[in-house]
Amino acid sequence: MLGIRAPGPTIQRRGKPDRADADCGQSGRQSGAVGSGTIGNALRRAAIELAPVTDAPRLEAEVLLAHVLETSRTVLMTHPERPLTSGQASRYNALVHRRASNYPLPYLTGCIEFSGLEFELTPEVLIPRPETETLVDLALARRPRSVVDVGTGSGCIAVSLAVRLPEAIVYAIEISPAALAVARRNAERHGVTERVRLVVGDVLTPRPGPVDLIVSNPPYVPTGKLASLPASIRNHEPWLALDGGPDGLSIIRRLLGQAPAVLRPLASAQGHPGSALLVEIGADQGKAASRLARAYFPRATVRVYPDLAGRDRVLEVQT
């Protein structure tokens, strides 16, 4: 889930109001005095401190304060004169200082909006990016009845599909037990635990299926480029979810090799387009990933879809 940029506040794309969700948030440690007095004064001072690390310092200042106060950003903007208690100011200061050190904002609030849903996040999982919603949209358009999500992480893809495909069974495979625990809580959060089957595994082992669709947002950053990622990513997000091997395609290569044994050979129902594989890729990996796909699936239709910025983002293999 990596459009190789430091993740900022989530852009609401599906009509969901912009809000801070305190249910899955995390409090900061007590520290110095950036914010004090009123809401407006605290926000102004925080925005100044955050300016060196984000393109949206005021917005991030509001997201953090809304999280601390367990309220919405709208309340902050309409009541800047409200005073903060010393405890609220102290908690806010701690979060602002942490964010100013390039610590990712979603790990501070403990949740993020993805595909119109709220998801819990911890440092054990990669932060979902808006670019990955392209993969979810393509998967939903196929209306599969059975799906495997390889490398599920926070479960944002698997849960998003299960919520919107009420008849589908989704297998969510993840090599990290800590990450899978986060995915389990997100499945519980959205009431889909009966249809999201969580499995500790490596790529497609143990083998599920046969299924209509395989989806994956695998690690695809070349090992040699990890050190050049933004500090907020390379210092805080799990390298296990980033490192794609020497050419960035190591996991994708394994996935393509194992996929034929898992995909359903024929259409699962009349009107369904048959089985397919959808894999997120790097913006410069379209040609290389397509060549790999044709080598493993010589009779399949292979396409690369762009994200909203027009960059290569999703590899599709249509059997």
Side-chain angles (χ1 to χ4, degrees), residues 54-118:
T54 175
D55 293 331
R58 174 71 183 203
L59 174 58
E60 294 201 12
E62 292 172 358
V63 168
L64 287 173
L65 187 53
H67 170 66
V68 168
L69 299 182
E70 300 184 10
T71 189
S72 68
R73 289 177 52 233
T74 300
V75 170
L76 303 184
M77 292 183 283
T78 54
H79 298 283
E81 77 288 350
R82 285 188 179 177
L84 299 179
T85 68
S86 59
Q88 291 168 342
S90 182
R91 289 181 60 209
Y92 186 50
N93 295 338
L95 292 178
V96 170
H97 294 332
R98 194 82 189 276
R99 177 67 186 118
S101 71
N102 251 322
Y103 195 76
L105 178 68
Y107 290 156
L108 292 173
T109 61
C111 55
I112 197 169
E113 188 269 345
F114 176 83
S115 193
L117 302 171
E118 295 284 345

Side-chain angles (χ1 to χ4, degrees), residues 66-271:
H67 170 66
V68 168
L69 299 182
E70 300 184 10
T71 189
S72 68
R73 289 177 52 233
T74 300
V75 170
L76 303 184
M77 292 183 283
T78 54
H79 298 283
E81 77 288 350
R82 285 188 179 177
L84 299 179
T85 68
S86 59
Q88 291 168 342
S90 182
R91 289 181 60 209
Y92 186 50
N93 295 338
L95 292 178
V96 170
H97 294 332
R98 194 82 189 276
R99 177 67 186 118
S101 71
N102 251 322
Y103 195 76
L105 178 68
Y107 290 156
L108 292 173
T109 61
C111 55
I112 197 169
E113 188 269 345
F114 176 83
S115 193
L117 302 171
E118 295 284 345
F119 288 90
E120 176 188 341
L121 283 187
T122 75
E124 282 74 32
V125 299
L126 197 72
I127 297 171
R129 268 68 172 180
E131 293 87 348
T132 303
E133 294 187 12
T134 300
L135 184 151
V136 172
D137 291 341
L138 289 168
L140 289 172
R142 303 187 65 85
R143 306 298 299 178
R145 295 188 177 183
S146 53
V147 185
V148 179
D149 177 21
V150 176
T152 198
S154 65
C156 63
I157 296 174
V159 172
S160 295
L161 294 178
V163 168
R164 294 187 173 87
L165 298 171
E167 296 183 359
I169 299 297
V170 183
Y171 300 90
I173 300 177
E174 171 58 52
I175 196 171
S176 165
L180 205 63
V182 177
R184 178 175 292 105
R185 292 195 295 273
N186 280 322
E188 293 170 351
R189 180 183 180 90
H190 293 288
V192 292
T193 52
E194 292 184 0
R195 292 185 297 106
V196 175
R197 300 177 181 176
L198 302 160
V199 181
V200 176
D202 184 12
V203 189
L204 287 168
T205 303
R207 182 192 302 176
V211 298
D212 298 328
L213 181 65
I214 296 171
V215 296
S216 182
N217 179 18
Y220 55 73
V221 180
T223 303
K225 294 185 178 181
L226 289 170
S228 63
L229 292 175
S232 62
I233 298 175
R234 69 172 185 269
N235 292 338
H236 302 292
E237 297 197 51
W239 279 40
L240 182 64
L242 295 169
D243 189 353
D247 61 356
L249 299 171
S250 294
I251 303 300
I252 294 174
R253 190 175 287 109
R254 292 177 58 201
L255 177 58
L256 290 167
Q258 296 176 27
V262 173
L263 288 172
R264 194 181 305 279
L266 299 174
S268 59
Q270 186 176 4

